[in-house]
Amino acid sequence: MAIEIKTASIEPIRHTFSNVARRQGADKPASRYLEAMYDLQPTVNFHYKPLWDPDHEIYDAGRTAIDMEDWYVFRDPRQFYYGTWTIARSKQQEVAERNYAFVEKKNLLDLVSAQTKERAEAVFVPLRHAEYAANLNNMYICAYGYGTAITQAASFNAVDRLGIAQYLSRIGLMLDGNTCESLDRGKQAWLEGETWQPLRRLTEDLMVVRDWFELFVAQNFALDGLAFPLVYERIDGELQKDAGSTISMLNEFMNEWYGETTRWVDAVLKTAAAESDANKAQLEQWARHWRDRASEALQPVAAEVFGDRADEVIGELRGELATRAKKKAGLDIE
């Protein structure tokens, strides 16, 4: 008996969802990122205005001085929606866990001098409070921002900052032998130490910035753009002189996360600046102002490690940030 097998090609009636089809046509397949991002925020049929802000709708583009014709042009170059974001972070966490396990298994911190461990604790542990502030600030952007393209990425960023705070806490526990004493000392330094009061004041000032796009510039571009290179490149590199790569292994997640996140931040700024001259001028004004505030706040932190060279280090970081703004976003903040 002969059996003839035939195949049939079935054309799908539709290739994507309506929210994407309205923008790029129904016959063009879309990525999962576009399907999970385009036009998901409600725009009509609001029953009432917020009682806490009766001058605005629940979702209102007027909450920022930045004006965009289409708020969904802010595509994330990482193509993060919930699925891809969790997969990426899971892989990074696996690497981080192996690093922490290796340091503990080989007792590498025992080879680091007590003085260097004290310097590491003095810098890294108080920063967990700054990361919690960054979490709150990005959740504000998520809550009051306009368009899912911005708000979903901000929510991912906010959760990432909690993860970084936990890693910093874990570093403290490894340094103090799991006694939690480093966490108590870090909290007291954040609340009362002279070194940390300028940065503490800045983070608290950021919590009351009303314009969510200004907060995006202040937190994710200006403050992070100086703090992460200072702490996880310059200070980490200084500690390597005695600790070798031990401390750097514990900071690998933060370094990798920052390099990835800057792609999103730069893309947002570049897109907004390209929309209009007014946007560009506003972004430059915000960037200069908050860069100057961040420089002043971080100078005492740099002085803890670099002493008299702190001003030189901060100056180098300011120059690098200005170069990044010009090259990646087309902003002149010199």
Side-chain angles (χ1 to χ4, degrees):
M1 181 177 65
I3 299 178
E4 184 178 357
I5 300 177
K6 295 183 178 180
T7 60
S9 178
I10 301 176
E11 289 292 328
I13 297 176
R14 54 190 297 172
H15 291 277
T16 187
F17 296 99
S18 297
N19 60 316
V20 181
R22 284 191 294 268
R23 289 179 173 271
Q24 65 177 31
D27 296 330
K28 183 178 180 181
S31 68
R32 289 291 180 265
Y33 167 69
L34 295 181
E35 291 176 344
M37 180 271 289
Y38 269 146
D39 296 320
L40 296 189
Q41 176 186 280
T43 57
V44 294
N45 300 326
F46 301 136
H47 296 292
Y48 55 86
K49 291 185 177 182
L51 298 178
W52 64 91
D53 188 5
D55 294 330
H56 295 99
E57 298 287 356
I58 294 178
Y59 301 104
D60 198 320
R63 296 183 187 273
T64 176
I66 298 299
D67 185 41
M68 301 293 296
E69 182 177 349
D70 180 9
W71 285 94
Y72 284 88
V73 296
F74 291 109
R75 292 191 185 186
D76 186 345
R78 304 166 300 177
Q79 299 283 292
F80 274 174
Y81 62 98
Y82 185 75
T84 51
W85 171 67
T86 53
I87 291 172
R89 293 296 176 261
S90 176
K91 292 179 179 178
Q92 291 172 318
Q93 186 175 13
E94 289 177 2
V95 173
E97 288 299 322
R98 285 197 295 267
N99 288 347
Y100 280 71
F102 183 80
V103 170
E104 290 182 324
K105 180 180 179 181
K106 299 297 183 179
N107 297 316
L108 296 184
L109 285 173
D110 292 344
L111 305 177
V112 180
S113 69
Q115 181 182 10
T116 299
K117 286 194 285 189
E118 289 176 2
R119 294 172 76 191
E121 177 190 317
V123 172
F124 295 127
V125 178
L127 279 173
R128 68 195 188 105
H129 300 282
E131 288 300 320
Y132 182 64
N135 162 265
L136 294 177
N137 289 332
N138 275 280
M139 287 309 300
Y140 181 92
I141 297 169
C142 175
Y144 293 98
Y146 193 83
T148 316
I150 285 280
T151 57
Q152 74 170 358
S155 69
F156 298 152
N157 188 290
V159 178
D160 289 340
R161 308 312 286 265
L162 285 184
I164 293 174
Q166 289 173 344
Y167 278 129
L168 292 170
S169 301
R170 191 166 174 182
I171 290 173
L173 292 173
M174 293 179 70
L175 290 171
D176 70 14
N178 291 316
T179 65
C180 294
E181 293 177 357
S182 65
L183 304 187
D184 293 335
R185 288 190 293 265
K187 180 179 179 180
Q188 286 305 116
W190 181 256
L191 293 175
E192 300 176 0
E194 291 184 11
T195 298
W196 295 99
Q197 296 319 295
L199 182 58
R200 179 187 169 200
R201 177 181 179 181
L202 174 59
T203 58
E204 293 177 356
D205 285 347
L206 290 180
M207 291 180 188
V208 294
V209 172
R210 296 295 298 272
D211 188 307
W212 63 267
F213 212 116
E214 180 181 3
L215 182 58
F216 177 92
V217 174
Q219 174 68 65
N220 296 330
F221 174 74
L223 179 52
D224 290 350
L226 293 175
F228 273 77
L230 171 63
V231 175
Y232 302 110
E233 293 179 12
R234 300 297 203 282
I235 293 178
D236 185 281
E238 189 71 14
L239 296 177
Q240 284 182 13
K241 295 176 181 179
D242 177 61
S245 60
T246 300
I247 302 296
S248 298
M249 290 178 66
L250 303 179
N251 287 329
E252 183 176 357
F253 176 86
M254 287 73 115
N255 265 316
E256 185 175 345
W257 178 88
Y258 176 70
E260 167 211 283
T261 303
T262 54
R263 295 172 53 214
W264 167 59
V265 174
D266 293 343
V268 170
L269 296 180
K270 181 179 180 179
T271 301
E275 180 79 4
S276 67
D277 291 338
N279 279 0
K280 184 174 182 291
Q282 182 65 79
L283 292 172
E284 289 175 342
Q285 188 271 323
W286 283 338
R288 291 191 193 100
H289 172 73
W290 292 109
R291 176 204 55 191
D292 292 344
R293 286 287 311 275
S295 299
E296 295 172 2
L298 291 169
Q299 197 280 338
V301 180
E304 282 287 302
V305 177
F306 297 103
D308 295 338
R309 293 181 49 228
D311 289 340
E312 176 186 347
V313 172
I314 294 296
E316 292 174 355
L317 294 174
R318 286 170 57 95
E320 292 174 5
L321 188 63
T323 300
R324 171 186 156 194
K326 186 69 173 179
K327 182 177 181 181
K328 300 295 184 180
L331 299 177
D332 182 6
I333 61 171
E334 291 287 356

